[in-house]
Amino acid sequence: MLYSVVVPVYNSEHTLEPLYSRLKAVFEEVLHEDFELILVDDGSKDHSFEIMEKLHNADPRVKIIQMARNFGQHPALLCGFHYVSGDFVITMDDDLQHPPEEIPKMIKVMNERDDVDVILARYENRKHNLVRRLGTWVSVSMTTKMLNKDPDLEITSFRLMRRFIADAIMDTTVHLPQIGNLLVMNSNRIINVDVHHDARAYGHSGYSFRRLVHDLIYDITTHSALPLIIVRNIGIVTFLISIILGFVFLIQYLTGRISVPGWTSIILVLLASTGLTLLSVGILGDYMLHVLNEAKKMPQYTIRKKEL
């Protein structure tokens, strides 16, 4: 088997050589399997690409790609998927928080489970900071509701997947892809495997609170009509209440219990117009959701196996 390891790189000049050395040792001395390492430089500002060139010149199994600017982790992974040759694809971070020594554990489970398409690492002792952990928890909660995902399934960036899953993801034309969400949308044969999680050796995470909030809002507005559904439902309730109150105020007016001229008509117009406005927004939102789904150009199906 050939395993393709795809790593997005951003300002990781201190960790690239140790990462390569540890991966090489795992595949050659423990697994005795062939591997290729695909490093995608996501607009690094340090000497990361120079280190990548050094590794490539020393070992042709190391493929290197330099992106024109910083596009983000997920576009970098998607770029790397276009150059994989392996039967299986592994994704991991460049900061050594994902120990290469845990890969055999994931591969062992994959080999034993023919019914599994994707294995996601579940960290036994998560070393992320409080902001990152909080953001992850909120994101997982929202993703569970948006994608009807198993609430016990943890989505992380340390993954092992069969090649056809990576191919299916490449067929997606989402503007800003979220690999974890696309995995869930392409297969329900996904499980977690517990692995060790190391502390970050150098620098700090690029996932600030602002970045986490931005990604969460993007996830909600891209993969879910939840805000539109809420507005639509408020519109329906408001419109129904306006009809009921309309009858109530009309009866009060006819029985002489409202003495302020024009008050009844103003209230009726406000209630009816507000309800109709929100209801109209909700209906337009349903149409916008259909347009959004068409624009994504998601594959209509994903072939897991084929015998012709």
Side-chain angles (χ1 to χ4, degrees):
M1 291 292 181
L2 174 63
Y3 292 86
S4 299
V5 184
V6 182
V7 181
V9 176
Y10 183 70
N11 294 344
S12 300
E13 59 183 0
H14 299 293
T15 58
L16 288 176
E17 289 182 304
L19 176 62
Y20 163 74
S21 299
R22 291 168 63 177
L23 280 170
K24 181 180 178 182
V26 165
F27 280 98
E28 292 183 351
E29 300 172 14
V30 179
L31 293 170
H32 304 290
E33 296 280 7
D34 293 329
F35 83 102
E36 63 177 4
L37 175 58
I38 302 172
L39 300 174
V40 183
D41 180 24
D42 187 26
S44 296
K45 299 177 181 178
D46 61 1
H47 300 288
S48 293
F49 192 70
E50 295 177 15
I51 303 298
M52 291 165 56
E53 289 181 314
K54 177 181 177 183
L55 294 174
H56 171 70
N57 292 332
D59 189 342
R61 293 175 297 183
V62 179
K63 300 179 180 179
I64 60 174
I65 304 164
Q66 186 177 46
M67 301 175 75
R69 64 174 178 84
N70 179 248
F71 287 91
Q73 181 189 50
H74 298 281
L77 285 171
L78 195 62
C79 174
F81 287 170
H82 284 83
Y83 298 93
V84 299
S85 304
D87 307 285
F88 295 90
V89 178
I90 298 170
T91 70
M92 58 192 306
D93 292 348
D94 59 349
D95 54 11
L96 297 180
Q97 287 195 271
H98 297 160
E101 293 76 18
E102 297 294 276
I103 291 177
K105 186 185 299 183
M106 300 166 68
I107 291 178
K108 180 176 183 296
V109 175
M110 182 68 84
N111 290 337
E112 293 173 350
R113 296 283 303 273
D114 185 59
D115 61 320
V116 172
D117 295 335
V118 182
I119 290 179
L120 301 174
R122 179 169 52 203
Y123 308 134
E124 295 173 341
N125 51 342
R126 190 181 292 270
K127 298 296 184 179
H128 291 144
N129 57 41
L130 179 61
V131 172
R132 180 71 180 275
R133 282 181 289 174
L134 178 60
T136 300
W137 178 81
V138 173
S139 178
V140 169
S141 300
M142 294 302 298
T143 303
T144 298
K145 297 181 183 300
M146 291 186 297
L147 303 178
N148 294 320
K149 179 182 71 65
D150 181 356
D152 296 324
L153 180 67
E154 292 188 18
I155 297 180
T156 65
S157 55
F158 195 7
R159 319 173 182 94
L160 168 64
M161 69 187 79
R162 298 186 188 276
R163 170 69 179 275
F164 77 90
I165 292 292
D167 291 340
I169 290 176
M170 286 190 293
D171 290 335
T172 306
T173 56
V174 179
H175 173 56
L176 293 175
Q178 301 288 322
I179 303 301
N181 294 343
L182 293 176
L183 288 175
V184 174
M185 296 169 72
N186 276 286
S187 176
N188 63 354
R189 299 172 180 269
I190 304 175
I191 64 172
N192 285 128
V193 169
D194 293 331
V195 303
H196 186 70
H197 191 239
D198 288 342
R200 191 179 181 93
Y202 299 92
H204 58 277
S205 174
Y207 280 88
S208 62
F209 180 76
R210 179 180 178 182
R211 172 72 178 277
L212 290 171
V213 171
H214 175 271
D215 287 351
L216 178 60
I217 294 175
Y218 177 81
D219 281 350
I220 293 175
T221 55
T222 302
H223 300 289
S224 171
L226 181 61
L228 297 175
I229 292 173
I230 292 174
V231 172
R232 182 197 63 191
N233 293 342
I234 292 175
I236 293 173
V237 173
T238 304
F239 184 63
L240 292 176
I241 292 175
S242 71
I243 294 176
I244 296 171
L245 290 178
F247 281 111
V248 172
F249 292 139
L250 183 60
I251 292 172
Q252 289 180 343
Y253 173 75
L254 294 175
T255 56
R257 283 183 285 178
I258 296 179
S259 59
V260 180
W263 187 86
T264 302
S265 58
I266 291 175
I267 293 299
L268 292 178
V269 170
L270 284 176
L271 287 172
S273 62
T274 302
L276 283 172
T277 300
L278 292 176
L279 180 60
S280 300
V281 170
I283 294 173
L284 289 174
D286 284 337
Y287 283 100
M288 291 295 293
L289 178 63
H290 295 315
V291 173
L292 176 63
N293 288 332
E294 288 295 329
K296 287 181 182 179
K297 299 187 183 302
M298 289 290 295
Q300 294 178 325
Y301 54 85
T302 302
I303 298 176
R304 186 168 185 267
K305 290 183 178 179
K306 182 167 59 176
E307 295 182 11
L308 301 176

